[in-house]
Structures are given as structure tokens and as C-alpha cells.
Amino acid sequence: MNNKNVSRKSTVKASSDIALIKYWGKKDEVLRLPENGSVSIKLDGLDTVTSVEFGKDFKSDELSIDGKNIEINSIEAKRVIKHLDRIRGLAKEKGLVGYNQFAKVVSKNSFPKSTGLSSSGSGMTALTYAAAKAIGLELSEKELSILSRQASGTACRCAVGGFVEWLDGDTSDTSYSKTIFKKDYWDIRDIVAVVDYGKKKISSTEGHTTAGSSVFFEIRQKNIKQKIEDVKKFIEKKDFSSLGSLVEAECLEFHSILLTSNPPLVLWYPGTMQVIQEVQKMRTEGIECYFTINTGFNVHVLTLPEFEKQVQKRLSNLSLVKETLVAKVGGKPEYLKE
Ligand code: DP6
């Protein structure tokens, strides 16, 4: 097989997601097999667009993110290059011409990165889709989800669209994501309250390694399968109150684990608490909305279309909120025309 006539460049737009049931802890660090399955919603509006071009004249891999050239020895660049090497390895196995060429990667996010908004999920998914296409690999959605997973757990889910379940699996081939409901199944909105733009001090990758040190981790694992079933049932029934209550409880359980890990991870900022209290207040006034937070300080507030404007206004008016971003349920990654 050869790929002489295939374009060596591809550009992909991938959306981030918000986990309703969180992925926390890995049973296999190298393969990135999670301790438990997770469920998320893709977020159209929190997107990464990445171009990957392979070329025989390139002397090394090059990476630019949000207009800045990233130093090739930085942790960020090394993670990208490791993934490019994985993809080059697959191309070599398939006997594709130019499998060993260096790549130029240019990536742009529509939202602040490294602040707890899963930019590694959308970023690594876009990288996987674009690099695989540019190098000439023909992979199924399942294969792309498995490949994305090895770069970032969240990317395993971002590789598919709509309402997503990541099956934890015991082997690399059985740990992948699938769409459980398509994006048009239910119109949910996510208003993201940005309370800080600074890079979070602990990455999720580091945090995962201490998950098991919390005394609550074992209890979480006992109940998580049932929680996943419940969340899927509430989505199927479009029962927003039950879904929102479960999602908030899950967020608080997840942060209880962070707080009681060794070393403890205290990630919230004063603005995080201000948003939580406003969400609780809005609910007493009949405005249905629920919060959830990943490993960071910025807050996702889930609501229904009829409350979107009110929720956004209330959150924007808070003294510690710097910006609000609105997302709808997103689809699968898209190849863009050059
Ligand atoms: C709290 O996917 O960022 O957001 O696999 O090391 O890249 P790596 O970790 P990452 O972890 C995400 C953790 C979370 C929960 C979630 O999104 O499920």
C-alpha cells in the first residue's frame, strides 16, 4: 500500500466536553485505562481547530498553540510529539509512504486552555483526527477514540459526538467511547463561568495518580456503575431536575476526593464559590440550573434553553466572574476545508 497522492495536511475542529460522571484515576497509566467509565456531553462552542502537515523537508516537529510557538522540549510539546510518534508508528505498520516525516502542528482554542475546561480533550482529539488523516491512516470512529485516549483520557470521549459514554474496558481495544444519544436528542446549554484565566497549578494527569489515596475513593468505585446507569436513564427521560441533582452530587463527591487525597488538591477560588452560591440561589427562584467543576476553578452551569439568557446575565453580573461562554450540545469532530 502507498499514499503518494494523499494530501499531507489536514485540519480538524473538535469540541471539548463536560463530564457528568467524571473519569478520575487510571488502572493502567501507560494505556490510559480509567478506573471507571464516564459520561459526558460534547460542547459546541468550546472548540479546538488543529492543522497537521507532514513534510519531507521539515527538520523537526513544530508546534504552535493559540499563536505562540511552543518550545519543543516543554512538557506540552513532548506530549504532542509522543502522540505524533504513536501515529507515525501506526503508519509504519501499515507501510505508508512518509511515515517517518516530521509534522507542523498549528492549534487554536476558542476558550482559555489549562483552566479546567478540558482543552486537552478537544486538543488531543483534533490532533489525532488531523494527524491520522494527514499521514494517510484510514481509521474508524472507534479506532480514533482508542487512539485519542492514549494522548488524553478526555480525548477518548471528545472523539465522538453528542451525549457520550466512555466504556472503561480492561484492554486497549475495549476502552473507547460511543454516542449514547445524538446531539439533537436534547437541547441542553452549558454556561461556563470563567473566574480566572491563570493556568491551573496541578494538571489532571498529575492529579489522577493520587486518586486512590483518598479514603473515599473505594466507596466511589462501589457506587459508580449505578450512577452511570442513573445518569443515562435521566438523559433518556429528559428529566433535567434529576440529571442536574445527580451531576452536582457527583461534582461534590469528586471534589471531596480531591480534598482528601495526599497531597490534598484544593482547586476552588473565591469566584468558584460565588458561582456555586448564585446557582443555588437561582434554583430557589425557579431558574433551573446546576453546577459542575473539573480539576480547576472555572464552573460549568447546565441549564435549559428557556433559562439560558437569565443564567448568563446573573453569572456575568457576579463580581468575580470575568467572562461567560455559552455552549450547546456538540457533534463529532469535523474535517475542515483548507
Ligand atoms: C476531572 O483527561 O485531563 O476533567 O488522561 O491525564 O489527560 P489525562 O486526564 P484528563 O482528566 C480529566 C479529568 C476530569 C474528569 C473528566 O473530564 O472526566
Side-chain angles (χ1 to χ4, degrees), residues 141-179:
E141 185 177 87
K142 179 175 164 184
E143 288 169 322
L144 284 160
S145 171
I146 290 170
L147 187 55
S148 301
R149 187 201 73 230
Q150 294 168 63
S152 167
T154 310
C156 178
R157 293 189 311 242
C158 292
V160 310
F163 296 79
V164 178
E165 179 175 13
W166 176 7
L167 306 163
D168 56 334
D170 288 322
T171 60
S172 192
D173 288 351
T174 53
S175 187
Y176 63 95
S177 299
K178 57 177 191 178
T179 298

Side-chain angles (χ1 to χ4, degrees), residues 223-280:
N223 300 329
I224 200 118
K225 280 208 165 71
Q226 187 55 51
K227 256 196 199 184
I228 290 175
E229 287 318 305
D230 289 346
V231 99
K232 284 173 15 185
K233 189 178 72 200
F234 297 145
I235 298 171
E236 187 181 3
K237 290 185 174 166
K238 302 187 184 173
D239 178 350
F240 192 62
S241 313
S242 303
L243 178 73
S245 305
L246 179 60
V247 165
E248 259 188 28
E250 159 68 358
C251 163
L252 294 171
E253 178 183 291
F254 165 60
H255 280 271
S256 310
I257 288 182
L258 298 182
L259 291 169
T260 51
S261 290
N262 185 14
L265 298 175
V266 186
L267 304 180
W268 293 358
Y269 288 181
T272 314
M273 206 54 223
Q274 195 184 39
V275 173
I276 291 175
Q277 287 177 334
E278 188 68 3
V279 166
Q280 289 172 333

Side-chain angles (χ1 to χ4, degrees), residues 11-17 40-49 121-122 125-126 129-130 139-142 144-145 148 155-164 177-184 328-336:
T11 301
V12 171
K13 175 176 160 188
S15 307
S16 166
D17 76 349
S40 74
I41 303 179
K42 290 293 299 293
L43 297 178
D44 180 11
L46 269 65
D47 311 302
T48 303
V49 174
S122 51
T125 302
Y129 266 72
L139 301 175
S140 66
E141 185 177 87
K142 179 175 164 184
L144 284 160
S145 171
S148 301
C156 178
R157 293 189 311 242
C158 292
V160 310
F163 296 79
V164 178
S177 299
K178 57 177 191 178
T179 298
I180 45 176
F181 297 97
K182 293 218 171 103
K183 72 170 186 156
D184 298 328
K328 290 183 180 182
V329 183
K332 50 183 164 190
E334 282 167 55
Y335 295 101
L336 303 184

Side-chain angles (χ1 to χ4, degrees), residues 112 115 117 191-198 269-272 274-275 297-299 312-325:
T115 62
L117 300 178
I191 321 282
V192 178
V194 177
V195 301
D196 205 286
Y197 294 107
Y269 288 181
T272 314
Q274 195 184 39
V275 173
F297 33 80
N298 293 327
V299 188
Q312 188 181 15
K313 192 156 181 238
R314 293 280 290 262
L315 296 178
S316 304
N317 285 342
L318 293 174
S319 61
L320 299 174
V321 170
K322 299 199 155 59
E323 184 190 0
T324 53
L325 310 164

Side-chain angles (χ1 to χ4, degrees), residues 19 22-24 26 32 79 120 152-154 157 204-205 208 254 294-295:
K22 315 279 185 202
Y23 142 54
W24 198 238
K26 297 174 199 176
R32 268 199 165 77
R79 193 167 171 187
S120 69
S152 167
T154 310
R157 293 189 311 242
S204 301
T205 306
H208 281 288
F254 165 60
N294 285 340
T295 40

